[in-house]
Amino acid sequence: MNARIDTFVAPPCADDITILYQDDAILLINKPSGLLSLSGKNPLNLDSVHYRLVQQFPTALLLHRLDFGTSGIMIVALNKTVAANINRQFQARTVVKTYQAVLAGHVAANEGDIDLPIAKDPVNFPKLKVCFETGKAASSHYQVLDRQAAPDTTRVLFTPGTGRTHQLRIHSAGLGHPILGCDLYGTAESQGMAERLLLHATSVEFDHPISGERFSGTSECPF
């Protein structure tokens, strides 16, 4: 099953990266949907957030990733000292991120917490799975922003407590309401309800590595 990742070739992404904020230490950027965070092993997957940024900022270092289909705000360090500072904040879980997503169906509760541990799924690579024996703890808080009818969908604001790969996609599916456009964890119906994954990183908050003061940035949801 590993052939899936080796043969995956990302279609060309015509959308640009937007720089939302810039100083001597960091960039806050907006990643378009359909762009890899890092270049893939396959030489056809060279185009990525990192590949594009180092053309203009040769010392740029990515501190976290967004899935290929996810859009939104990312923090980029412009030197190793800054990267180490913000990585420590990620490890201490003091970086606060929010995401907007549109889910299939109507989520009953107006807010709640999802605690489902996530593990590798060697049989279905590159998918991951919920596993209470071998999974790593994963927690997400959700708040319903609105509900739409025909088709029934729910817009939610997610605040993840952990940063596992595919976490919000898996937790949404675990709630019984997959994110629209999700190819790995949705149903054929929910995947077909959107042309892209309807998941967007809307805000990030952390201590600025130079001033030490609390610092935040936002990116407007495009869907």
Side-chain angles (χ1 to χ4, degrees):
M1 288 297 289
N2 286 17
R4 170 163 181 172
I5 203 75
D6 296 333
T7 57
F8 172 76
V9 176
C13 179
D15 295 329
D16 293 327
I17 294 169
T18 309
I19 295 174
L20 303 169
Y21 172 85
Q22 177 181 350
D23 62 26
D24 291 340
I26 59 168
L27 304 174
L28 294 182
I29 63 144
N30 187 68
K31 172 185 134 23
S33 175
L35 183 65
L36 294 165
S37 290
L38 291 170
S39 303
K41 290 174 183 168
N42 187 323
L44 294 172
N45 290 330
L46 181 63
D47 191 27
S48 68
V49 172
H50 182 255
Y51 177 78
R52 292 187 187 186
L53 286 177
V54 293
Q55 313 301 318
Q56 187 178 354
F57 305 96
T59 58
L61 297 163
L62 290 199
L63 303 170
H64 56 117
R65 303 182 197 185
L66 291 177
D67 285 351
F68 175 72
T70 307
S71 55
I73 196 164
M74 296 178 74
I75 317 168
V76 180
L78 293 178
N79 64 60
K80 289 180 180 176
T81 306
V82 166
N85 177 296
I86 299 175
N87 278 327
R88 283 194 294 273
Q89 297 184 52
F90 271 108
Q91 287 162 1
R93 295 185 183 173
T94 57
V95 180
V96 178
K97 294 191 285 183
T98 66
Y99 296 76
Q100 272 196 40
V102 179
L103 312 187
H106 282 169
V107 177
N110 287 329
E111 65 177 304
D113 293 291
I114 307 167
D115 291 291
L116 294 171
I118 295 170
K120 289 182 178 176
D121 187 354
V123 179
N124 295 307
F125 183 86
K127 284 181 75 171
L128 301 169
K129 64 181 178 181
V130 172
C131 182
F132 288 90
E133 278 88 48
T134 62
K136 291 181 178 177
S139 63
S140 307
H141 180 79
Y142 69 88
Q143 178 185 350
V144 170
L145 299 176
D146 65 52
R147 296 178 179 88
Q148 298 290 333
D152 287 356
T153 61
T154 306
R155 181 180 293 267
V156 298
L157 184 73
F158 276 120
T159 308
T162 51
R164 307 294 178 207
T165 302
H166 297 176
Q167 177 174 314
L168 297 178
R169 296 162 74 181
I170 292 168
H171 279 180
S172 300
L175 197 62
H177 299 279
I179 299 175
L180 301 193
C182 183
D183 58 340
L184 290 179
Y185 306 101
T187 62
E189 183 184 9
S190 67
Q191 184 183 346
M193 288 169 74
E195 291 183 359
R196 56 156 287 190
L197 178 70
L198 295 192
L199 179 62
H200 181 81
T202 44
S203 74
V204 65
E205 185 182 299
F206 56 101
D207 295 334
H208 192 283
I210 304 303
S211 71
E213 293 180 5
R214 204 66 180 157
F215 187 84
S216 64
T218 59
S219 170
E220 195 174 333
C221 187
F223 51 80

